[in-house]
Structures are given as structure tokens and as C-alpha cells.
Amino acid sequence: MEEFDVLTHINKVADHVGESVRLGAWLYNKRSSGKIQFLQLRDGTGYIQGVLLKKQVSPEVWEQATNLTQESSLYVEGTIRADDRAPSGFEMDVTGIEVIQQADEYPISLKEHGVEFLMDQRHLWIRSRRQAAILRVRSEIISAIQNWLNGEGFTLVDPPVLTPSSCEGTTNLFHTKYFDEDAYLTQSGQLYMEAAAMALGRVYSFGPTFRAEKSKTRRHLIEFWMIEPEMAFVEHEESLRIQESMLAHVVRHVLDHCKSELAILERDTSKLEKVTGSFPRITYDEAVELLNREGMEFTWGEDFGAPHETKIAESFDQPVFITHYPTEIKAFYMKPDPKRPEVALCADLIAPEGYGEIIGGSQRIDDPSLMSERFDEHQLSQDDYAWYLDLRKYGTVPHSGFGLGLERTVAWICGLDHVRETIPFPRMLNRLYP
């Protein structure tokens, strides 16, 4: 190939119309019609069709193209031209090919495959157009969240993954040994983020969390990623306003920056356009009344399951906050409502379209005496949590926080049936490979 050719990426070809360029790519698909071959090329940034005319290339180039197999890697040389009929708006008139590797027979052909087979081939499945689109949307969601939080004065803090005790007082933890001590994979960075908030004011973490729950639902993963902001001097109502502002920004960002990906996913974006902030709110009491009115018999004091959350969400076209859950079914650190101590100053944000809870948050207990009582009520070790109680002894303030589950958020925004597609390598009850 000629050294003067510009080495570029498919998402930049609009800058090189009429120019001879060079792409590093993989062959996604191929078809031929007599004396013309069409190469569907991908390079991770996008897709473009390369067109070869037999009379315009050397016999060697024509033979190389003829022998290419799916996912073969190559350098391609050619001229970029605009074409309104092409999905990307551009095509490449190919003049040269340099094969890097002729791929073996590819296990994922361009036909329907079963989910278990595709999960076994996840390391290759993510190359597909749909899976790559999901991962790009995921990346944009992460970027939008972090940019919004950074712009609002939050500081990124990294909590530990190995912890000496549970965050929420549950037993659904992965146990390991930390030399001669017991340790656990974190189920949340929240407690450590509260400590960081007392130092830095407004903070957030973004990292993996682990739940040893033997769940097989379409909403659950064993390992998932959480964005967990904590805010000093912020009470319950202000926390809700922060949550809805952040999420509305994220949805708007995806609509603006992921049009092609959402089109690949065939996402009905009219539903996302309705997410503009000022989300509706109902109390737990009102939610119970709604369920009973709709014929779903439900007893006050129970926690909502997936069918209940879906039924509640059906009454709204935006995400809805369910507030003031019974303190008995919520975590030990949630502050009781001073006007009604049997319910907590907390909220779950339920996504539309049956995607369930995507954010859970609360105002935290700031009174050291009440927190000590909660330790006893939940049979938590005073020694293990002594440092957490210190946060209430040395300059306690009203403070609130929340956790956003990234994979459920991706599933909702992309309109996916299962969270297994929202993360590059999902960890599920019976899935640890690849």
C-alpha cells in the first residue's frame, strides 16, 4: 500500500471524502455479484461498506477479497465517497487489501443462535453490531453521569472492594480470607462514602459490587457496577431533586449522542423523550393502595417484588419515586421520618416499562444514639462498626445518599430484555465463563 494514504477510523471518514485513506478493520460480512464484491467492514468505531470492482483492482487484490472469511483482520485502502443510500452515509471504493490474518471458521455466523451458546461465546459475541451498540451506550451513560456529578461539585472517591463486614447487615456476601482475618467482597461502597462526604462534602464512587443472591431474574447480576453519591448537609427532598436532575441529564445525553446505537437496538426513543425531570412521587402507603385497587393483593409492611414495581410503573410515563418505606424492611442506616418514625426518609426510583428499581437512596441517620440502637436491633457488632459510629460523634450533620445500578439503567435506556447484555462479561448464578 502507498505510504501517503491517511490511516483513519470509520467514524472519521466524513472528514476524508474524495481522499485515499487506509483503515484497519475486520470483515463483518461479505457478498458478491459477479464482477463486484461488497465488504462490510468494522473497526470498533463504526461500519462501512467497501466496494471492489474487478476491473479496477489487481487480480491479487480480487483474489484476496474473494478468500476473506468472517472476522478476518486486514488493512484496506481506498477512496471515501458520500452515498445517501449507505446506512453511514459513506462508502469506500477499495483499491488495495493487506490481510493481517485470515480468520478460522467463525463460530458465530450471521444467523440466529441460542442464548446459552452466545453466552459461551461472549468474548466473540460482543463484536456483533447489537452488542457493540449496547456497550457504547453503556460508556456514554457512564460518561454522562460522571460529567454531571463533576460539574455539580462532586469528588470521585474509591472505596475498598474488600471489607471486614457487611454494608447492609445481610448475609448475601462473598466470603474470603484476608490473611488470617475474614473479609468479604463489597456489596456497596456507601458506608465508606459517608466517611468521605464528611471530609469532602459531596462525593461519589463508581465501581463493582457483589451480591451472593441465588437469583435468576432478568434484573439480577452477581457482579454489577454502582454509582454511589453521598452528600453532607443534604436532606431527603434535596437528594430526590439531585437524583432526578442527574437521570434526566443522562437520558438527554444518550438521546443526543447515541442516535445510531439506539436505532440499531430499535429502541422506541419517544418513551425516553418523556424523561425530563420532576419525576412523579408516591408514598409507600399510596403504592400499597394502588396495588390493592388494581387487584394485586398486598399487605402493608411487605417489600415490593418485580410484578408490584411493574404495576406501579404502568401508571406513569416517567420514572417514579416510591418514598417512605417501612423502616423494618429497609437498611439499618436509613433515618426514620421524625413525623412518623415507622417509615424512613428514603425512596426507590422505579423505571418505566417494567425495568424496576434503578436507584435506591435515603437520608442517613445522623444521631449517634439512634445509630447505636440500630446496631443492637440488627445484631451488628459494635466493634466492627465503631468507625462508622465515629462519623456521628465527630461533627455529625444531616446527610443523604443514593446508589444507581448501572446495568439496570443501561437495560432500561436500551430497551433490553435482560441485564446479561448490559455488561461485557456478565456474572450470573450459573455463569462464570468466559
Side-chain angles (χ1 to χ4, degrees):
M1 292 191 179
E2 299 292 338
E3 293 183 0
F4 60 79
D5 289 323
V6 176
L7 181 61
T8 189
H9 298 287
I10 291 173
N11 65 343
K12 300 293 185 183
V13 296
D15 299 331
H16 300 286
V17 175
E19 297 179 14
S20 180
V21 302
R22 192 183 192 207
L23 299 173
W26 294 270
L27 181 72
Y28 188 71
N29 198 10
K30 180 180 70 173
R31 61 188 177 89
S32 61
S33 178
K35 297 183 179 181
I36 186 170
Q37 294 191 58
F38 301 95
L39 308 182
Q40 301 296 325
L41 304 169
R42 66 172 191 88
D43 71 346
T45 72
Y47 298 81
I48 193 169
Q49 180 167 268
V51 181
L52 282 84
L53 296 176
K54 189 172 185 179
K55 64 182 180 181
Q56 293 182 359
V57 298
S58 68
E60 292 78 16
V61 169
W62 182 261
E63 186 69 15
Q64 282 181 312
T66 300
N67 293 331
L68 284 174
T69 53
Q70 185 183 349
E71 289 301 313
S72 289
S73 52
L74 61 157
Y75 289 112
V76 187
E77 176 190 283
T79 303
I80 301 300
R81 58 178 167 81
D83 190 327
D84 293 337
R85 297 167 301 175
S88 66
F90 304 93
E91 285 193 341
M92 183 183 202
D93 292 322
V94 177
T95 56
I97 291 174
E98 179 184 329
V99 178
I100 301 171
Q101 189 210 36
Q102 186 91 357
D104 291 347
E105 183 177 352
Y106 197 60
I108 306 179
S109 59
L110 297 176
K111 64 177 185 179
E112 290 294 322
H113 294 280
V115 171
E116 286 304 310
F117 170 80
L118 291 171
M119 291 302 295
D120 285 340
Q121 304 293 330
R122 184 63 177 169
H123 53 296
L124 302 177
W125 189 24
I126 58 176
R127 300 184 185 188
S128 71
R129 190 183 292 258
R130 172 184 168 86
Q131 298 306 312
I134 294 168
L135 296 183
R136 280 193 287 269
V137 173
R138 177 190 173 102
S139 176
E140 288 294 338
I141 290 172
I142 294 168
S143 177
I145 291 172
Q146 293 195 293
N147 287 341
W148 189 89
L149 289 169
N150 294 341
E152 293 294 318
F154 285 76
T155 300
L156 175 64
V157 174
D158 300 314
V161 172
L162 288 170
T163 67
S165 56
S166 163
C167 167
E168 299 186 356
T170 71
T171 57
N172 297 320
L173 301 168
F174 285 104
H175 175 261
T176 186
K177 295 299 290 185
Y178 191 76
F179 303 104
D180 295 328
E181 298 181 59
D182 290 322
Y184 305 91
L185 295 182
T186 182
Q187 60 180 179
S188 169
Q190 180 211 309
L191 305 190
Y192 296 96
M193 298 312 296
E194 287 187 53
M198 298 306 117
L200 298 167
R202 293 192 175 191
V203 298
Y204 72 98
S205 64
F206 172 54
T209 55
F210 307 86
R211 302 286 171 94
E213 297 175 1
K214 294 187 176 181
S215 175
K216 294 182 179 180
T217 81
R218 69 187 185 96
R219 298 179 180 180
H220 285 86
L221 292 170
I222 302 301
E223 175 189 314
F224 57 100
W225 286 66
M226 292 270 285
I227 293 90
E228 297 185 277
E230 288 290 328
M231 303 156 289
F233 306 103
V234 169
E235 300 192 36
H236 176 61
E237 282 297 322
E238 185 179 357
S239 177
L240 298 187
R241 290 193 293 271
I242 290 169
Q243 293 171 49
E244 62 191 4
S245 295
M246 183 186 79
L247 194 60
H249 167 80
V250 169
V251 172
R252 185 73 260 162
H253 178 92
V254 172
L255 287 170
D256 290 343
H257 293 83
C258 300
K259 290 183 173 64
S260 62
E261 287 81 8
L262 294 174
I264 289 170
L265 298 171
E266 300 180 330
R267 180 61 161 121
D268 181 357
T269 54
S270 66
K271 296 180 178 180
L272 297 176
E273 293 281 358
K274 297 175 182 177
V275 181
T276 57
S278 300
F279 300 153
R281 304 178 190 182
I282 61 172
T283 64
Y284 174 89
D285 293 345
E286 292 167 334
V288 171
E289 291 174 6
L290 184 156
L291 291 173
N292 287 321
R293 190 167 60 246
E294 293 292 326
M296 294 187 77
E297 194 170 319
F298 191 88
T299 303
W300 197 97
E302 297 177 354
D303 204 357
F304 300 128
H308 307 114
E309 291 177 344
T310 299
K311 176 60 69 174
I312 294 166
E314 287 173 355
S315 299
F316 306 92
D317 57 9
Q318 287 206 85
V320 55
F321 283 115
I322 306 175
T323 69
H324 297 84
Y325 283 76
T327 54
E328 290 296 317
I329 61 173
K330 286 297 183 180
F332 71 93
Y333 49 73
M334 293 189 179
K335 183 172 183 175
D337 186 340
K339 299 176 183 177
R340 190 184 169 197
E342 68 270 24
V343 299
L345 295 174
C346 67
D348 288 347
L349 185 63
I350 309 301
E353 305 174 70
Y355 285 94
E357 178 195 342
I358 53 175
I359 297 179
S362 73
Q363 186 168 341
R364 316 312 193 187
I365 292 174
D366 51 74
D367 175 47
S369 297
L370 179 56
M371 182 60 76
S372 184
E373 290 176 19
R374 285 288 188 269
F375 290 164
D376 294 336
E377 290 172 11
H378 289 261
Q379 298 181 330
L380 302 175
S381 167
Q382 293 274 355
D383 292 337
D384 288 347
Y385 289 89
W387 70 270
Y388 188 62
L389 187 59
D390 281 350
L391 304 180
R392 280 79 184 161
K393 290 181 178 180
Y394 306 112
T396 189
V397 298
H399 61 288
S400 302
F402 59 92
L404 178 145
L406 178 61
E407 285 73 26
R408 287 190 185 181
T409 303
V410 174
W412 163 53
I413 291 178
C414 290
L416 308 179
D417 291 333
H418 200 292
V419 292
R420 64 186 162 220
E421 293 184 77
T422 64
I423 189 169
F425 298 97
R427 297 296 177 245
M428 299 181 293
L429 183 57
N430 298 311
R431 173 66 58 183
L432 191 59
Y433 175 93

